[in-house]
Amino acid sequence: MEWLRDMWTREGPGIPKDAPKRTGLALFAEILVREWWEMVKLNMLFILTGLFVVTLPAALAAMARVSVALVEDRNSYLLRDFTEAFLRYFWRATAWGLALAGALAIGLYAIVTYAAGARDNLLLSAPLTIALVATAFVAVLACHLFVLMVMRDLPALTLLRLAALASIVRPFPALAALAFTASLWLAHILFYPVSVFMPATFNFSLGMFAVAFGVHRAAVTVLHLLNATQPHREPHRRDAS
């Protein structure tokens, strides 16, 4: 049974230290080729832990934690890291997940409502556009927020502020990642039943990896900005008596 234990606990393959550093889509493809089996196992863990629905936000946070480790090429022990992150972020992820899901639901409802009314009244095109932009912003905000949450422990308001800042500064990589994720599910629908195993093997983990890869640079930027703006506390010195 040692092979079964090693499948879940052994360290990832990593990359040679002298290999040239790749960027952009080349780096995305390199990590994907190197870590594809880890992503398959990560997908399985997400499905198992998210079966109860209420655990979905925590499972997303745990999957984001592992995905960030893959993006940063850090040593990752899949089962241990996923379990620790699931338990550590359970309540925070659940609270944020409910809030963001509610905001997205309101946005989608507004889009459907205004889109139906805009057919007969062009004046409703303006609120329809606002609803589209606001809903897209909430989706981008959710991507940055979950990745930032697993990168550093921050107060709720600080986390929200940094996620909003990152969403304004670099929204397009997050939108591209969401579009890539949507294309995975579109392919699953278009090629069904040939694609019946896509969700069970990699759709969830690959989608989250794309999100983590897309927003990681913005997340690092706003965290550096936070470090630069925080006052440096000097150690307290006692006066000699």
Side-chain angles (χ1 to χ4, degrees), residues 18-83:
D18 297 327
K21 182 66 175 178
R22 298 186 181 183
T23 59
L25 292 177
L27 179 60
F28 180 88
E30 179 185 84
I31 298 174
L32 180 59
V33 170
R34 186 175 71 243
E35 305 287 358
W36 69 270
W37 181 235
E38 293 297 297
M39 292 186 189
V40 172
K41 293 186 289 183
L42 179 60
N43 200 82
M44 294 168 60
L45 283 174
F46 172 78
I47 292 173
L48 290 174
T49 53
L51 284 176
F52 297 102
V53 181
V54 294
T55 57
L56 275 174
L60 280 171
M63 189 163 56
R65 179 67 176 268
V66 175
S67 296
V68 169
L70 296 179
V71 172
E72 296 178 347
D73 189 36
R74 289 188 282 105
N75 292 336
S76 178
Y77 299 90
L78 182 61
L79 184 59
R80 184 199 67 186
D81 292 349
F82 186 93
T83 304

Side-chain angles (χ1 to χ4, degrees), residues 5-241:
R5 182 199 63 192
D6 290 342
M7 184 180 75
W8 294 98
T9 59
R10 68 184 176 187
E11 197 175 309
I15 57 175
K17 64 177 182 178
D18 297 327
K21 182 66 175 178
R22 298 186 181 183
T23 59
L25 292 177
L27 179 60
F28 180 88
E30 179 185 84
I31 298 174
L32 180 59
V33 170
R34 186 175 71 243
E35 305 287 358
W36 69 270
W37 181 235
E38 293 297 297
M39 292 186 189
V40 172
K41 293 186 289 183
L42 179 60
N43 200 82
M44 294 168 60
L45 283 174
F46 172 78
I47 292 173
L48 290 174
T49 53
L51 284 176
F52 297 102
V53 181
V54 294
T55 57
L56 275 174
L60 280 171
M63 189 163 56
R65 179 67 176 268
V66 175
S67 296
V68 169
L70 296 179
V71 172
E72 296 178 347
D73 189 36
R74 289 188 282 105
N75 292 336
S76 178
Y77 299 90
L78 182 61
L79 184 59
R80 184 199 67 186
D81 292 349
F82 186 93
T83 304
E84 288 180 355
F86 181 86
L87 297 174
R88 180 177 181 179
Y89 299 107
F90 184 87
W91 295 111
R92 276 177 285 178
T94 300
W96 282 116
L98 290 174
L100 292 168
L104 287 172
I106 293 172
L108 291 174
Y109 178 79
I111 290 172
V112 172
T113 302
Y114 287 126
R119 297 176 183 176
D120 302 320
N121 187 354
L122 290 179
L123 291 177
L124 293 178
S125 298
L128 173 60
T129 302
I130 294 173
L132 284 169
V133 172
T135 304
F137 181 78
V138 172
V140 171
L141 176 71
C143 295
H144 287 98
L145 190 145
F146 264 75
V147 171
L148 281 166
M149 180 174 61
V150 300
M151 289 180 68
R152 182 180 298 182
D153 290 334
L154 297 167
L157 290 179
T158 302
L159 177 61
L160 182 60
R161 186 176 72 250
L162 291 181
L165 178 61
S167 301
I168 294 172
V169 172
R170 287 179 57 86
F172 297 111
L175 288 172
L178 290 172
F180 175 79
T181 304
S183 70
L184 291 175
W185 291 100
L186 181 60
H188 168 62
I189 295 171
L190 292 177
F191 296 104
Y192 188 86
V194 178
S195 60
V196 65
F197 293 109
M198 284 179 62
T201 52
F202 61 81
N203 267 23
F204 297 107
S205 60
L206 183 53
M208 178 54 74
F209 171 70
V211 168
F213 187 88
V215 308
H216 183 263
R217 181 177 174 183
V220 171
T221 300
V222 295
L223 287 175
H224 284 330
L225 181 62
L226 177 66
N227 291 336
T229 55
Q230 282 182 338
H232 296 282
R233 296 182 179 178
E234 295 185 359
H236 177 70
R237 296 179 180 177
R238 293 182 179 180
D239 296 331
S241 56

